[in-house]
């Protein structure tokens, strides 16, 4: 399952469309990291609204992705974690430390604007 | 048990199938949407361990009845290398891979009952149960 | 005394007598039913019921009982009792009204048997042997249906009270307040977290103030739930501020290994709301003697 990556100005937006296999998720990570370098993007948003499970592997992959992107000078925001999924993640013991999160795409974009361009928003 | 569904686990692609099957069965039993997510996540962890450490195995989900309690039972079984020290493996943060080591203890927290039997060289069997909450509609 | 199923002849006699009773009750239906309704009225058991209700229900109950006597099957009575309990309890009928009503009917039937067989003691005893177990069975079916219905309602009310006692309040745009009052057990803590997370989603909240002033004690389980709630809210993009942590509770939390420095804590609810305002980009403008303005406005840069 391919995850479309949209370039919007300084940002890259990846909207996951369906449940992903491990290989799909790894591919998404590598694609995003590569494109951040390629486009010199300053922010990345990964929309996980459709995911109804975030297990230890998914969390670990998203975390390492955020880290690799940070090393390339860009910010990552994970948006759209569902209430049930958030509940399940903390029960499992997963916290996504060091990764910024936002409610949805819109909030994610305003968060990036705020962080990167110093626009008003929640910091 | 007639209403038992099994999924053969041969590669990471089967993880998605396994948790979908588990979710379907749990839905039939009337679990809440939060509980469906908890069950699917626990299944994801134990099946991932099969793929990671034993290469192949089997996941089965069924219905259990105990007195007036009804619930789902999940069994993940493999004939892989087994776990030498189960107490250690059940600790948060213990991993022989370079992982978070949360899979087994986490799955235990997500479910109501959790049992693991393993023998080095023979394989591993994880049995987990969750009961349908009675007073919730 | 005849015991059921001891020998054929007695069984046949039983069946014949049973049929005789059934026919007697059917024949006397109008008379006995009227007596029943009258007695219930006198005892005040029919308060709050309309004439029509009384007519319909009394006919159905009367006939249902006869069917039980005739067939020895109680399914009809069971279904009817459950339905009656559902409606009765909903309309606020008391257990006394319902059980009293059935007891009265039992008396009416019994009395009529005494009158009918008063010349034949043998036959009366035989008739009572048949009649009494049926009457008792019906009574227990009705009583049970009521107890079950009551329990069901109590459970529903407990659920409702639990939800009420954990209100998630929206104070302003993007800000929620969750005042926790009372003892938290695991069930309630989970419910509370789930409710909060759903509300964050539906109300698009960015800041949540959890006030635990009303929580008398915190043990490791509750502390754990609190930490989980904070973490889960963050995963959904909301910042949590915890207020009302008494020195004792703070001590407990630290002892339990909760890292308070990683948690956003403010002394009291008022302070928490101010902090939340700041996070949201509101700022309170202090009274400025020159302009005299004292209002809140959205910070614009
Ligand atoms: N089916 C299995 N067969 C053999 N060893 C296993 C199996 N499942 C778990 N283990 C062993 O138990 C350890 C702990 O498992 P657990 O799932 O808790 O953590 P992990 O898989 O290392 O990390 P995570 O699940 O957080 O990614 C594993 O590192 C592995 O050594
Ligand atoms: Mg694992």
């Amino acid at each position: 399952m391919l995850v479309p990556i949209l370039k919007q100005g300084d940002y890259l937006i990846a909207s996951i469309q369906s449940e992903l296999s491990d290989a799909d998720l790894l591919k998404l990570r590598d694609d995003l990291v590569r494109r951040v370098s390629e486009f010199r993007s300053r922010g990345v948003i990964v929309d996980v609204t459709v995911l109804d499970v975030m297990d230890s592997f998914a969390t670990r992959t998203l975390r390492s992705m955020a880290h690799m992107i940070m090393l390339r000078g860009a910010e990552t925001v994970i948006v759209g974690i569902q209430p049930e999924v958030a509940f399940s993640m903390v029960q499992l013991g997963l916290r996504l430390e060091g990764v910024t999160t936002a409610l949805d795409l819109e909030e994610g974009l305003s968060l990036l604007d705020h962080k990167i361009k110093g626009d008003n928003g929640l910091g | 048990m007639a209403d038992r569904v099994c999924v053969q686990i041969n590669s990471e692609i089967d993880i998605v199938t396994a948790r979908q099957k588990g979710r379907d069965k749990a839905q039939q039993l009337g679990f809440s949407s939060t509980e469906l997510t908890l069950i699917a996540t626990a299944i994801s962890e134990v099946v991932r361990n099969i793929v990671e450490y034993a290469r192949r195995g089997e996941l089965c989900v069924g219905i259990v009845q105990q007195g007036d309690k009804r619930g789902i039972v999940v069994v993940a079984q493999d004939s892989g290398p087994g776990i030498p020290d189960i107490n250690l493996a059940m600790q948060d943060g213990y991993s022989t891979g370079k992982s978070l080591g949360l899979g087994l203890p986490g799955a235990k927290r997500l479910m109501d009952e959790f049992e693991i039997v393993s023998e080095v060289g023979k394989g591993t069997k994880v049995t987990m149960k969750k009961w349908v909450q009675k007073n919730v509609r | 005394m005849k015991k059921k199923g001891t020998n054929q002849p007695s069984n046949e006699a039983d069946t014949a007598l049973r049929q005789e009773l059934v026919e007697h009750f059917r024949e006397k239906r109008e008379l006995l039913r009227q007596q029943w309704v009258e007695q219930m009225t006198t005892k005040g058991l029919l308060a709050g019921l309309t004439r029509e209700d009384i007519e319909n229900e009394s006919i159905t109950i009367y006939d249902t009982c006869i069917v039980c006597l005739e067939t020895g099957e109680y399914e009809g009575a069971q279904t009817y009792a459950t339905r009656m309990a559902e409606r009765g309890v909903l309309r606020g009928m008391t257990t006394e009204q319902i059980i009293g009503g059935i007891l009265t009917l039992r008396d009416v039937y019994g009395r009529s048997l005494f009158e009918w067989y008063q010349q034949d003691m043998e036959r009366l005893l035989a008739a009572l042997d048949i009649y009494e177990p049926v009457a008792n069975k019906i009574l227990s079916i009705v009583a049970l249906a009521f107890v079950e219905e009551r329990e069901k309602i109590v459970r529903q009310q407990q659920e409702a009270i639990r939800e009420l006692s954990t209100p998630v309040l929206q104070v302003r745009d993007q800000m929620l307040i969750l005042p926790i009052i009372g003892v938290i057990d695991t069930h309630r803590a989970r419910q509370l977290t789930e409710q909060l997370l759903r509300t964050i989603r539906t109300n698009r909240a960015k800041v949540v103030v959890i006030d635990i002033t009303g929580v008398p004690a915190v043990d490791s389980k509750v502390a754990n739930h609190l930490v989980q709630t904070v973490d889960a809210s963050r995963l959904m993009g909301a910042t949590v501020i915890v207020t009302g942590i008494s020195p004792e509770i703070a001590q407990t939390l630290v002892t339990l290994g909760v890292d308070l420095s990683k948690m956003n804590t403010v002394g009291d609810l008022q302070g928490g709301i101010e902090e939340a305002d700041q996070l949201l980009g509101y700022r309170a403008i202090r009274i400025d003697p020159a302009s005299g303005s004292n209002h809140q406005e959205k910070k614009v840069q």
Side-chain angles (χ1 to χ4, degrees):
Chain A
M1 192 60 56
L2 227 88
V3 180
I5 298 175
L6 226 84
K7 182 176 178 301
Q8 189 173 316
D10 281 345
Y11 305 149
L12 292 177
I13 301 168
S15 302
I16 298 175
Q17 309 286 321
S18 67
E19 286 294 317
L20 295 184
S21 73
D22 296 0
D24 297 333
L25 199 57
L26 290 174
K27 181 166 175 349
L28 172 64
R29 180 188 71 185
D30 297 344
D31 284 354
L32 273 175
V33 171
R34 194 162 34 80
R35 293 205 195 171
V36 165
S37 307
E38 192 179 323
F39 297 123
R40 299 217 163 98
S41 304
R42 300 184 62 195
V44 174
I45 291 181
V46 181
D47 188 347
V48 299
T49 306
V50 302
L51 294 190
D52 52 17
V53 166
M54 287 262 269
D55 63 1
S56 60
F57 179 83
T59 307
R60 188 153 38 101
T61 310
L62 290 178
R63 243 173 70 177
S64 69
M65 178 185 75
H67 192 73
M68 287 152 85
I69 289 173
M70 194 184 70
L71 291 177
R72 282 159 183 76
E75 287 273 350
T76 304
V77 183
I78 308 290
V79 305
I81 297 180
Q82 293 302 306
E84 295 86 5
V85 175
F87 187 72
S88 174
M89 285 173 75
V90 296
Q91 294 256 305
L92 199 62
L94 301 168
R95 296 200 146 86
L96 266 181
E97 294 95 337
V99 181
T100 309
T101 47
L103 190 72
D104 54 17
L105 192 56
E106 189 188 329
E107 291 298 334
L109 282 169
S110 84
L111 195 62
L112 279 181
D113 282 347
H114 175 65
K115 279 198 160 189
I116 293 165
K117 301 175 180 159
D119 276 15
N120 183 49
L122 179 58
Chain B
M1 217 189 304
D3 31 34
R4 205 173 136 98
V5 184
C6 293
V7 183
Q8 296 306 313
I9 310 297
N10 296 309
S11 82
E12 52 101 358
I13 296 179
D14 301 320
I15 299 173
V16 179
T17 320
R19 63 190 187 212
Q20 194 53 51
K21 287 272 190 284
R23 183 182 278 270
D24 291 348
K25 171 86 20 190
Q27 193 148 31
Q28 283 168 23
L29 276 160
F31 282 101
S32 76
S33 76
T34 302
E35 289 168 324
L36 294 184
T37 305
L38 299 182
I39 292 165
T41 310
I43 291 177
S44 197
E45 292 301 334
V46 292
V47 173
R48 182 176 305 291
N49 281 351
I50 292 181
V51 174
E52 217 147 293
Y53 306 109
R55 302 254 166 262
R56 62 190 83 258
E58 187 183 51
L59 178 104
C60 296
V61 282
I63 295 170
V64 268
Q65 185 91 39
Q66 209 176 80
D68 58 351
K69 286 195 297 186
R70 243 164 104 75
I72 189 168
V73 57
V74 177
V75 181
Q77 190 160 20
D78 65 62
S79 316
I83 304 174
D85 187 341
I86 289 184
N87 284 337
L88 207 55
M90 287 304 296
Q91 275 175 25
D92 270 341
Y94 174 80
S95 171
T96 58
K98 27 184 198 315
S99 194
L100 305 171
L102 284 175
L104 290 177
K108 183 177 177 179
R109 283 192 288 269
L110 298 179
M111 303 293 283
D112 290 336
E113 284 177 33
F114 185 97
E115 188 192 67
I116 178 165
V117 188
S118 185
E119 200 179 325
V120 174
K122 288 255 166 69
T124 303
K125 180 178 178 183
V126 177
T127 307
M128 317 184 279
K129 288 177 194 158
K130 197 171 193 71
W131 304 109
V132 179
Q133 225 57 44
K134 246 176 77 187
N135 54 354
V136 182
R137 284 153 284 269
Chain C
M1 273 277 141
K2 291 175 220 69
K3 282 250 153 61
K4 258 199 170 174
T6 36
N7 51 36
Q8 272 310 104
S10 130
N11 263 352
E12 264 168 34
D14 260 19
T15 315
L17 183 53
R18 184 180 291 266
Q19 202 48 46
E20 193 176 303
L21 294 183
V22 168
E23 269 155 33
H24 166 75
F25 289 136
R26 289 229 165 99
E27 222 164 83
K28 294 266 161 49
R29 184 207 209 200
E30 259 330 280
L31 180 76
L32 294 181
R33 193 178 62 81
Q34 288 304 338
Q35 281 180 8
W36 178 37
V37 171
E38 261 164 46
Q39 290 186 22
M40 285 196 291
T41 314
T42 319
K43 291 179 186 167
L45 295 172
L46 300 178
L49 296 179
T50 66
R51 244 195 128 70
E52 203 189 336
D53 275 351
I54 296 171
E55 280 298 296
N56 291 337
E57 303 291 311
S58 64
I59 290 174
T60 316
I61 295 172
Y62 190 99
D63 290 348
T64 307
C65 292
I66 305 301
V67 170
C68 292
L69 179 64
E70 187 173 25
T71 60
E73 310 237 338
Y74 295 89
E75 234 160 76
Q78 182 80 59
T79 319
Y80 186 72
T82 308
R83 256 202 6 239
M84 192 166 68
E86 271 169 22
R87 280 175 305 160
V89 172
L90 280 179
R91 276 196 235 148
M93 284 179 82
T94 62
T95 315
E96 193 195 349
Q97 272 180 299
I98 302 297
I99 308 285
I102 300 295
L103 276 171
T104 310
L105 180 58
R106 198 179 73 161
D107 283 359
V108 169
Y109 284 143
R111 249 171 247 260
S112 129
L113 288 183
F114 274 106
E115 267 172 41
W116 197 33
Y117 290 119
Q118 58 184 321
Q119 310 303 344
D120 189 347
M121 223 32 200
E122 260 311 285
R123 218 160 162 68
L124 173 61
L125 285 180
L128 286 179
D129 268 356
I130 293 174
Y131 159 75
E132 273 180 344
V134 177
N136 290 340
K137 175 92 189 182
I138 291 174
L139 195 62
S140 85
I141 286 175
V142 172
L144 247 164
F146 261 79
V147 170
E148 272 169 12
E149 182 62 21
R150 276 274 144 70
E151 282 178 353
K152 201 170 101 194
I153 288 188
V154 167
R155 275 200 305 271
Q156 284 168 354
Q157 285 171 343
Q158 280 173 345
E159 272 308 292
I161 288 170
R162 279 216 188 90
E163 300 222 332
L164 272 181
S165 58
T166 58
V168 182
L169 312 168
Q170 162 131 33
V171 266
R172 40 176 142 277
D173 208 26
Q174 303 186 314
M175 191 198 301
L176 298 176
I177 294 184
L178 175 64
I180 307 178
I181 295 159
V183 182
I184 320 176
D185 58 16
T186 302
H187 180 68
R188 203 179 144 214
R190 277 182 71 143
Q191 210 168 31
L192 203 133
T193 311
E194 283 186 49
Q195 200 192 342
L196 175 65
L197 296 178
R198 276 197 299 267
T199 315
I200 290 176
R201 170 114 227 139
T202 48
N203 294 34
R204 306 181 56 81
K206 274 191 184 172
V207 185
V208 179
V209 182
I210 300 182
D211 182 55
I212 64 166
T213 310
V215 178
V218 168
D219 60 10
S220 65
K221 269 199 181 139
V222 174
N224 206 20
H225 279 298
L226 189 63
V227 174
Q228 284 184 354
T229 307
V230 172
D231 288 341
S233 304
R234 193 189 74 82
L235 287 174
M236 296 188 59
T239 305
V240 177
I241 297 167
V242 184
T243 63
I245 303 184
S246 66
E248 295 82 42
I249 288 184
Q251 188 60 50
T252 318
L253 289 176
V254 172
T255 321
L256 292 168
V258 176
D259 187 351
L260 280 177
S261 70
K262 278 196 187 149
M263 221 192 254
N264 215 335
T265 61
V266 174
D268 62 0
L269 184 56
Q270 184 55 43
I273 294 175
E274 278 166 20
E275 167 101 14
D277 273 340
Q278 256 173 32
L279 284 174
L280 284 172
Y282 289 96
R283 71 177 159 190
I285 297 179
R286 303 264 164 227
I287 297 176
D288 176 353
S291 71
S293 69
N294 176 23
H295 61 276
Q296 293 202 321
E297 63 179 31
K298 182 96 180 169
K299 193 183 354 178
V300 191
Q301 287 172 336

